[in-house]
Amino acid sequence: METAALPLVTARPAILDQPAESLRAWLAERGQPPLRLKQIRRWLVSGRAESFEQMSDLPRELRAQLTAAFEPLGTHVAIHQAARDGTHKLLLRLPDGGQVECVLIQDETRRTACISTQVGCGMGCVFCASGLNGVERNLTGGEIVEQLVRLRNLLPANERLTNIVVMGMGEPLANLDNLLTALEDAGDKNGLGIGARHVTISTVGLPAKIRQLADTGKQHHLAVSLHAPNDRLRTQIVPTNDKIGLAAILDAADYFFKMTGRQVTFEYVLLGGLNDHWTHARELGGLLEGRKAHVNLIPFNEVEGLPYRRPDDESLAGFVQQLQRAGVSVKVRKRKGSEIDAACGQLRRRAAAS
Ligand code: SAH
């Protein structure tokens, strides 16, 4: 299923992005009590309202005033794709015309939202579709929350989102303040109610920001994208490694574990013929020795126009076996929604090309 919506670019600001004080002042100017703010938020975040008109316990005049002044949701669904396995992907158009992707992944009991934090990405990982044109801007806290709201609104009324993975477009730790604001909001028990323990933040590996995240004292789960067992190969695949290096990243990951007690996951995208040899696995095993680490292997999702390929079954099996032999806990990521461009950045790219 695929639906294209109107290419709307609006001038009205999104209400989820307004600071609470200025909204209270706006309401007071119209003779409305501060309680209205709670009602509006409840309608949007728990009540699944997508217009102010639906907010039936607000005075009619206020609903009209709100409609004239704000957008209930500032994003518009430009494309909605649904796969047979229950995966949904949305391409959202932002008020300034930028576009981001988010995905709903459904397992037996889990309802996971995969969200973006930036328009584009500045990290330049050579195999990734999100960063091919660099980064345009950070998403605001409200824009991050809206992705959750939009995905949740796809679920039946008796279901809620259970997990968040920050693995969409962008480098989450390059927009950490807005991300933390959004996650605080997502954790609100009277709202979406998704606590830090159910949130995984995936980073290319920015040591100072990993430490800052650890210092928040929150129980987020951290995933670090390694993709190579040595600096020479990593810099080839992840150019930002040039100024950072694996040692500093692993130090920061150890600090995160020490501060939060949460085991760090290391992600490793397998690129056929480039980083998928069993000797790379052996080197990776050595690197992680003595660490309580978990490795998530991600067979490359092909991106049109890029010269990389998936690993063959034999290399994948050999890689897994070698890591297991080194005592490393390892899993191969299941492919979800493969018929709908679910790898990050691909849908936006296709929409831009058409
Ligand atoms: N900037 C963050 C989030 C990126 S998306 C980070 O680097 O971790 C989450 C994961 O998907 C990352 O490990 C990223 O490298 C990986 N990824 C991106 N494009 C991919 C592709 N085409 N195939 C497989 N994995 C990909």
Side-chain angles (χ1 to χ4, degrees):
M1 178 181 85
E2 187 160 322
T3 52
L6 292 174
L8 261 174
V9 176
T10 56
R12 285 186 296 270
I15 200 147
L16 285 176
D17 258 331
Q18 303 307 305
E21 310 85 82
S22 64
L23 279 180
R24 276 191 215 102
W26 186 92
L27 287 164
E29 278 165 28
R30 285 153 188 84
Q32 297 292 337
L35 151 89
R36 298 281 183 234
L37 182 53
K38 247 197 190 150
Q39 287 176 287
I40 296 167
R41 281 194 64 82
R42 202 183 57 225
W43 272 109
L44 287 173
V45 178
S46 328
R48 303 184 178 219
E50 295 193 359
S51 79
F52 293 114
E53 269 318 304
Q54 288 169 280
M55 302 182 181
S56 52
D57 58 357
L58 297 185
R60 189 156 300 183
E61 195 193 349
L62 176 61
R63 282 186 258 163
Q65 288 168 329
L66 284 164
T67 305
F70 301 106
E71 286 291 330
L73 295 170
T75 61
H76 291 267
V77 178
I79 297 179
H80 175 183
Q81 293 182 328
R84 278 183 294 277
D85 65 6
T87 305
H88 287 258
K89 185 157 195 170
L90 300 178
L91 181 71
L92 298 181
R93 181 158 300 134
L94 306 168
D96 64 358
Q99 306 199 109
V100 290
E101 298 174 15
C102 55
V103 185
L104 172 68
I105 303 152
Q106 310 201 57
D107 276 329
E108 273 151 40
T109 52
R110 286 186 185 201
R111 300 289 176 267
T112 303
C114 175
I115 55 170
S116 298
T117 50
Q118 297 182 310
V119 184
C121 183
M123 300 299 120
C125 301
V126 294
F127 57 85
C128 176
S130 296
L132 288 174
N133 295 317
V135 62
E136 280 175 39
R137 69 168 172 90
N138 283 340
L139 295 184
T140 63
E143 288 167 341
I144 296 171
V145 173
E146 273 201 27
Q147 296 173 64
L148 298 170
V149 169
R150 290 249 177 232
L151 293 172
R152 191 278 321 273
N153 290 357
L154 299 174
L155 290 171
N158 60 343
E159 288 186 14
R160 51 180 287 272
L161 292 175
T162 59
N163 296 72
I164 300 173
V165 294
V166 191
M167 294 190 182
M169 288 170 55
E171 169 47 43
L173 299 193
N175 187 15
L176 184 55
D177 292 346
N178 289 351
L179 174 63
L180 289 175
T181 306
L183 292 178
E184 189 69 40
D185 209 347
D188 183 349
K189 288 199 180 60
N190 299 315
L192 293 166
I194 312 165
R197 298 193 65 82
H198 304 282
V199 176
T200 298
I201 301 174
S202 174
T203 176
V204 72
L206 305 179
K209 294 288 176 180
I210 291 175
R211 287 167 193 273
Q212 191 184 330
L213 183 63
D215 289 337
T216 62
K218 296 264 157 60
Q219 289 282 297
H220 298 122
H221 183 85
L222 179 71
V224 177
S225 296
L226 282 189
H227 308 331
N230 60 63
D231 279 322
R232 192 190 44 76
L233 185 57
R234 190 167 193 269
T235 299
Q236 200 181 320
I237 299 172
V238 181
T240 53
N241 191 61
D242 190 23
K243 293 189 197 68
I244 300 173
L246 279 167
I249 294 172
L250 291 174
D251 264 3
D254 290 345
Y255 180 77
F256 186 89
F257 178 54
K258 194 176 90 190
M259 297 304 283
T260 63
R262 298 216 68 184
Q263 182 179 337
V264 175
T265 293
F266 293 99
E267 293 165 285
Y268 193 108
V269 171
L270 286 165
L271 304 160
L274 185 58
N275 66 353
D276 66 337
H277 199 263
W278 68 268
T279 52
H280 294 127
R282 189 178 57 188
E283 205 178 348
L284 182 62
L287 196 68
L288 298 179
E289 206 183 326
R291 290 189 161 87
K292 204 170 170 304
H294 174 77
V295 171
N296 219 333
L297 296 175
I298 318 172
F300 175 58
N301 272 313
E302 266 135 16
V303 177
E304 219 180 287
L306 292 184
Y308 306 102
R309 59 176 172 85
R310 293 170 75 75
D312 55 42
D313 291 348
E314 211 176 309
S315 335
L316 177 59
F319 206 97
V320 170
Q321 205 179 46
Q322 192 62 42
L323 281 177
Q324 283 170 339
R325 209 171 284 163
V328 175
S329 132
V330 54
K331 244 198 200 144
V332 180
R333 177 149 336 145
K334 274 188 287 177
R335 206 171 187 195
K336 284 265 178 188
S338 53
E339 80 258 34
I340 58 163
D341 304 315
C344 65
Q346 302 213 45
L347 182 57
R348 182 179 78 130
R349 208 160 154 250
R350 194 161 64 82
S354 60

